[in-house]
């Protein structure tokens, strides 16, 4: 007779190999938390293996080949018998505290799958495995410190448990109770308004009263109660996250001067309108697919298109930064894979907004994670997911503001390459509904609705079901299958399981045909899920395909050959109904027409009042040098190298202009350039623009400035402004407040005007509203945060330029006009004062075109766009990145006719749009300036050998700044390094 | 024509650019999932060169390269040893290097496992360009004398992108054995050097030695010289414009054709050297 036997294998570092890197890292974090600590800690990995008659030799084999590295690690094997009780980790003589950290039951642990695979290769099949971490403290900890250390250093309470007492550690193998079917029904008939609102809250449906009434009336007409799964499906389909009800609502808006605007559909009347009007002017098709698929697609060459999508994953990242950010990048990659018949991801982008990383612990609101912890977690989440997928993460930005404490923003973007003939997809009635990829668990229940409400100090505990943990390798595996199946023509349509899970994916795909799904066929990670949990789970790494019945066998065989699970779960029927069954019982019967067109139209009114503009005059008298030093060290300007280098930005071998530039590879590039095809010198340039500080004063101008900056980014490195697409991502506070919605309307107006002025169509976008954090003492709302991402064509990548100065004796040309627009600037941040936010000058488009022409003609040695910190910061960055000095004369600056009053500091630090600082050789000077005939451009200085940045003021002011570039480089490079050791 | 097998499996992600590099060098390249070897659809013996590319095979769960090495050891050991013992070429880049070390094919000594690639001293994944020196004259991939094709440059640049690249030995004395056998293939240097001036050794100092490897080791080969493992990614630098600061010395319009740029990266000679070696041997046998 055999019996189940459980073993514990503890793997720790061999002391002969020096310091254990894991222990060093944890110790650093402990020292941060406890203000220093004496003595050491020991960290070990625990593996629990359980199987029928599992013996010591088998476990030893696994330990040697899979669980440890014999060169640097040692193992201890412990027989736990039936596994009901665990051994006492302190029994071996350790005196200090011992903590055991384990994922909560039901939380995904990616390593388990690989371990089972490796055990199978060793001939050990049918085992159960679990992992844990053990930390032994040789440093004394007071009892009252244990919880703090557990929560802040050892674990994330949203997904992990920490046990300090061995008698409390439950057996690692607890079988989930099997699910027994019972249909959940809700009688809606006759429920009054108050009851409807309560029902929405209790069920976490996030539906408003109007919507609840419509649903009640619908089921009254049907003469039956609603089922729970029907309500869940409607709530998900109608969620802000999935249908953008605010941006598509009818809005009555009152502008800053009391003027009235009415938008029938804000999105269609502003952002999408610009695209429509620009497409009408296209001579050759550029926009191939806009605002209808998972990503926008533009033409790359005769054979290929390029897709681009940027998503946000803010609320999950607030609660579990590592998992939230990782699944953010995982999700946007699935958007790329689910665009048309599937685009192949070739570049990722990332933009993050955090609270100040040096926030004192006692100023941290209850329930919020510390900004530095969020930052570290988010960066490692994107790093581990993107790197494992083998997709370069190469373009992005970081912004810091107190108002992102509690509600950080995580924007993840993905660019893909798709054959032009595969941009469209159509589901045919009779096609099979096929699920591919990972299994379904209880992760991420209510993510779509959770992302549509504000966070509170309770969110960490009540919403932990919404936390998703990703497994990049599962996604990489189906990426490989998807591209192969696409090229073999094995399916007719595809979309990703994102927010809303199968509910959203099958619903969207079946919008024209209807669909029938047998929910019990969906493979589960573990037992115990109810039918509605299966339907709305947001477990990661799943895609849904429409496969013609005659192709299914081939599709399945391909998936199997790559080790990817593939399941036929139903049919796209053609009867216009969404019908769901569980073990033969019908649990949902909804008309797709009601589901997709039944939502009552939303109406809002909004207003924008211009805040009191501060007087332009600064309050503080700072010298040019002091200001430059402050701004270079400001977190929004300082070097992002610590983050950038943790991303593999060169995998796939397509990177031509990299994010870090110059001979020391530390200069901050404006945009990056990639070659999507190995057999062509044609490329793409990628950039972005964002400035939440402007939005506090003038959201309209913030939007035009963001669009202009995004365009400058790509032009500065070689992109063609006439073949540029842009994306909008709105992250806002609670737009139920008319003035918050008002600032969003103003920004949308700015988006339209800027897109038209610059000829850059929006091809995709996304909004995330309700980015607020509610605490006992009030609500913290984020500033209006509009990210504009840009994607541009580069005809010949060998013409591309970088921003590092190249040679002494060259001339520096400033392109574009400098105005006294200091509102929201970094100058105003440090010196006070302000005034207007930068406008978009009427000659903007011509300037970008001329700049592009100069780069195309190879006249430009280096080029940098002027943004935060203006001319001073751009010149400093170009100088230290190139290891050269520069001399600038402010009396040569092109200024507007009314700009005569510009003082030297305004000239140096103004953030006026549409400007570039350009390095040109003496011999190419005339040719370059000729391209800017009639446009503002002038020689303002030269490059020199001496390693000093020197600025001469106007009107005989003489030298107003003279700084060593090495010192400036150091000031700029040091602030954002967050190594634990 | 030299037949190259680029092996892939779940999580391998540098297969495409590795295949591209071998194709540029004139190889006949097949990119195959490990499953096709296990199922017998492809046979290792039909190839001249085996490349195990970079990536995160099986997520690098349980340590870099562990699960793939375990799979190859349990399911393909005989074929693999026959391939290596028969003098055919094997290159493992980054994760592929980690796999070869886990398998013991590198350094290829009898007895207990001698070497490992562990977490960088910096404690984090990093992408950065490094300077390399070719230290051996017995590796088929690094032929600086130009015996089979265009000679490989003595000094190369390439990017590294890894978290577990610190080469360590079980016993510090083993360093002498590596050196005496000529198995140290590539080391990290501080710079590209100037004319007539040798660039200095990195001497363990970060970031020139990006991971803290003993003796600045970036790559090793086996005693026969037909197996090479290295952490840097030569396949990411076969094209002149893949270099990090090419804009300081840009091609003029006449040089800017795909043909003249696409084989002009430092890493190219590693692939062309291997193809040249195979073709040369085939000629001799013929």
């Amino acid at each position: 007779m055999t019996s189940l036997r459980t073993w514990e294998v503890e793997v720790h570092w061999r002391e002969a190999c020096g310091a254990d890197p894991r222990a060093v890292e944890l110790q650093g974090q402990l020292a941060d938390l406890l203000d220093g600590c004496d003595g050491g800690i020991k960290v070990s990995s625990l593996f629990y293996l359980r199987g029928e008659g599992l013996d010591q030799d088998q476990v030893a084999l696994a330990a040697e080949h899979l669980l440890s590295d014999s060169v640097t690690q040692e193992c201890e094997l412990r027989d736990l018998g039936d596994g009901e009780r665990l051994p006492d980790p302190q029994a071996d003589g350790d005196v200090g505290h011992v903590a055991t950290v384990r994922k909560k039951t039901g939380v995904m642990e990616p390593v388990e799958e690989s371990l089972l695979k490796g055990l199978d290769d060793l001939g050990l099949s049918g085992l159960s495995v679990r992992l844990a971490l053990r930390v032994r403290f040789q440093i004394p900890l007071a009892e009252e410190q244990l919880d703090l250390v557990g929560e802040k250093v050892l674990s994330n309470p949203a997904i992990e448990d920490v046990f300090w007492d061995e008698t409390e550690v439950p057996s690692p193998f607890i079988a989930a109770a099997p699910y027994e079917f019972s249909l959940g029904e809700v009688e809606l008939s006759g429920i009054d308004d108050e009851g409807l609102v309560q029902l929405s809250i209790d069920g976490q449906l996030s539906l408003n009263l109007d919507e609840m009434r419509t649903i009640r009336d619908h089921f009254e007409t049907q003469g039956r109660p609603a089922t729970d799964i029907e309500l869940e499906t409607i709530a998900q389909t109608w969620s802000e996250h999935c249908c953008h009800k605010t941006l598509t609502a009818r809005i009555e808006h009152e502008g800053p001067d009391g003027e009235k605007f009415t938008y029938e559909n804000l999105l269609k009347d502003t952002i999408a309108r610009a695209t429509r009007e620009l497409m009408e002017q296209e001579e050759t098709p550029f926009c191939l697919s806009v605002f209808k698929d998972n990503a926008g697609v533009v033409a790359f060459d005769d054979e290929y298109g390029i897709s681009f999508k940027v998503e946000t994953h803010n609320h999950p990242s607030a609660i579990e930064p590592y998992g939230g950010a990782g699944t953010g990048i995982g999700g946007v990659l699935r958007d790329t894979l689910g665009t048309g018949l599937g685009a192949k991801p070739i570049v990722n982008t990332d933009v993050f907004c955090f609270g100040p990383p040096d926030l004192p612990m006692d100023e941290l609101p209850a329930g919020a994670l510390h900004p530095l912890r969020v930052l570290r977690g988010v960066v490692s989440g994107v790093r581990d997911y993107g790197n494992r997928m083998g997709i370069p993460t190469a373009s992005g930005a970081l912004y810091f503001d107190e108002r992102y404490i509690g509600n950080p923003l995580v924007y993840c973007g993905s660019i893909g390459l798709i054959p032009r003939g595969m941009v469209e997809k159509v589901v045919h009635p009779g096609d099979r509904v096929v699920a591919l990829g990972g299994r379904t668990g209880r992760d991420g229940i209510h993510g779509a609705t959770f992302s549509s409400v504000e966070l509170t100090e309770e969110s960490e505990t009540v919403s932990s079901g919404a936390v998703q943990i990703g497994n990049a390798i599962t996604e990489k595996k189906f990426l490989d299958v998807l591209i192969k199946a696409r090229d073999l023509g094995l399916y007719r349509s595809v979309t990703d399981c994102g927010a809303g899970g199968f509910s959203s994916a099958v619903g969207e795909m079946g919008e024209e045909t209807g669909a029938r799904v047998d929910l019990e066929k969906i493979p589960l990670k573990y037992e115990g899920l109810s039918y509605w949990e299966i339907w709305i789970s947001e477990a990661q790494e799943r895609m849904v395909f429409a496969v013609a019945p005659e192709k299914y066998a081939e599709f399945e065989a391909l998936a199997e050959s790559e080790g990817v699970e593939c399941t036929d779960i139903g049919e796209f029927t053609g009867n216009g109904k969404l019908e769901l069954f569980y073990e033969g019982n019908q649990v949902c019967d909804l008309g797709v027409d009601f589901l997709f067109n039944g939502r009552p139209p939303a109406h809002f009114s909004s207003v924008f009042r211009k805040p009191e503009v501060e007087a332009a005059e600064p309050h503080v008298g700072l010298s040019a040098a002091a200001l430059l030093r402050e701004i270079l060290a400001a977190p929004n300007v300082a070097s992002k190298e610590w983050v950038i280098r943790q991303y593999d930005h060169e995998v796939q071998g397509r990177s031509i202009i990299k994010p870090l530039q110059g001979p020391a590879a530390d200069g901050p590039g404006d945009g990056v350039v990639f070659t999507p095809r190995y057999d062509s010198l044609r490329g793409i340039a990628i950039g972005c623009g964002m400035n939440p500080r402007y939005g506090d004063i003038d959201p309209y101008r913030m939007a035009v400035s963001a669009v202009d900056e995004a365009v400058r980014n790509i032009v500065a490195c070689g992109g063609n402004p006439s073949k540029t697409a842009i994306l909008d991502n709105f992250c806002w506070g609670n737009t139920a407040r008319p003035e918050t919605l008002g600032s969003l309307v103003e920004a949308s107006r700015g988006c339209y005007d800027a897109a038209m002025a610059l000829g850059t169509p929006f091809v995709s976008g996304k909004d995330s509203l309700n980015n607020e954090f509610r605490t006992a003492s009030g609500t913290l709302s984020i500033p209006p945060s509009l990210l504009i991402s840009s994607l541009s064509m580069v005809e010949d990548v060998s013409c591309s330029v970088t921003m590092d100065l190249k040679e002494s004796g060259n001339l520096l040309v400033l392109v574009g006009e400098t105005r006294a627009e200091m509102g929201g600037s970094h100058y105003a941040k440090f010196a006070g004062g302000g005034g207007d936010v930068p406008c978009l000058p009427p000659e903007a488009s011509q300037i970008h075109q001329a700049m592009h022409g100069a780069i195309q003609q190879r006249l430009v040695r280096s080029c940098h766009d002027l943004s935060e910190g203006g001319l001073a910061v751009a010149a400093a960055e170009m100088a230290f990145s190139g290891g050269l000095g520069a001399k600038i004369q402010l009396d040569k600056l092109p200024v507007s006719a009314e700009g005569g009053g510009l003082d030297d500091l305004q000239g140096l630090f103004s953030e006026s749009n549409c400007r570039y600082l350009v390095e040109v050789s003496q011999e190419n000077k005339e040719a370059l300036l000729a391209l800017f005939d009639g446009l503002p451009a002038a020689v303002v200085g030269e490059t020199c050998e001496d390693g000093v940045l020197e600025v001469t003021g106007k009107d005989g002011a003489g030298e107003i700044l003279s700084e060593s570039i090495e010192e400036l480089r150091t000031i700029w490079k040091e602030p954002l390094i967050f190594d634990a050791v | 024509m030299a037949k190259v097998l680029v092996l892939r499996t779940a999580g391998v992600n540098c297969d495409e650019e590795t295949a591209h590099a071998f194709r540029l060098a004139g190889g006949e390249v097949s990119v195959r999932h490990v499953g096709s070897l296990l199922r017998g659809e492809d046979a290792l013996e039909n190839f001249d060169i085996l490349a195990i590319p970079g990536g995160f095979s099986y997520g690098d769960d349980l340590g870099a390269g562990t699960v793939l090495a375990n799979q190859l050891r349990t399911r393909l050991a005989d074929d693999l040893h026959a391939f290596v013992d028969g003098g055919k070429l094997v290159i493992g880049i980054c994760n592929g290097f980690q796999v070869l070390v886990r398998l013991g094919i590198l350094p290829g000594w009898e007895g207990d496992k001698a070497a490992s690639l562990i977490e960088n001293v910096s404690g984090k994944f990093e992408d950065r360009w490094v300077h390399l020196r070719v230290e051996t004259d017995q590796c088929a991939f690094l032929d600086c004398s130009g015996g089979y094709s265009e000679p490989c440059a003595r000094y190369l640049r390439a990017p590294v992108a890894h978290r577990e690249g610190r080469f360590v030995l079980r016993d510090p004395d083993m360093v002498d054995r590596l050196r005496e056998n000529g198995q140290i293939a590539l080391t990290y240097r501080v710079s590209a050097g100037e004319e007539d001036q040798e660039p200095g050794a990195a001497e363990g100092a970060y970031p020139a030695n990006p991971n803290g490897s003993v003796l600045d080791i970036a790559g090793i080969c086996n005693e026969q010289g037909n197996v090479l493992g290295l952490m840097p990614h030569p396949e990411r630098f076969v094209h002149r414009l893949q270099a990090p600061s090419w804009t300081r010395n840009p091609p003029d319009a006449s040089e800017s054709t795909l043909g003249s740029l696409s084989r002009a990266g430092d890493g190219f000679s590693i692939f062309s050297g291997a193809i040249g070696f195979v073709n040369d041997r085939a000629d001799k046998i013929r």
Side-chain angles (χ1 to χ4, degrees), chain A residues 245-291:
Chain A
K245 45 196 174 196
T246 304
L247 255 76
T248 56
R250 178 188 159 91
I251 296 176
E252 314 261 355
H253 178 65
E254 187 182 325
D257 302 315
E259 65 274 46
K260 305 272 193 218
F261 301 85
T262 302
Y263 298 99
E264 291 306 322
N265 175 324
L266 181 64
L267 191 66
K268 279 193 178 157
D269 291 347
T270 56
I271 288 164
R273 179 176 154 210
T275 306
R276 203 170 58 240
E277 292 175 8
L278 289 168
M279 282 175 76
E280 284 164 9
Q281 300 168 15
E282 282 177 4
E283 285 162 17
T284 51
F286 178 59
C287 296
L288 302 182
S289 171
V290 292
F291 292 112

Side-chain angles (χ1 to χ4, degrees), chain A residues 488-492 547-557:
Chain A
L488 291 167
L490 298 185
Y491 57 86
R492 275 202 272 257
V547 179
E550 66 274 18
K551 301 271 187 175
Y552 182 70
E554 201 182 337
F555 186 91
E556 189 181 30

Side-chain angles (χ1 to χ4, degrees), chain A residues 69 114 562 652-653 802 804, chain B residues 8 17 61 116 242 247-248:
Chain A
D69 170 13
S114 300
E562 299 268 339
Q652 298 190 10
T802 50
D804 47 306
Chain B
R8 50 175 282 272
E17 54 270 43
D61 299 335
S116 189
Q242 289 170 322
T247 57
R248 300 191 73 77

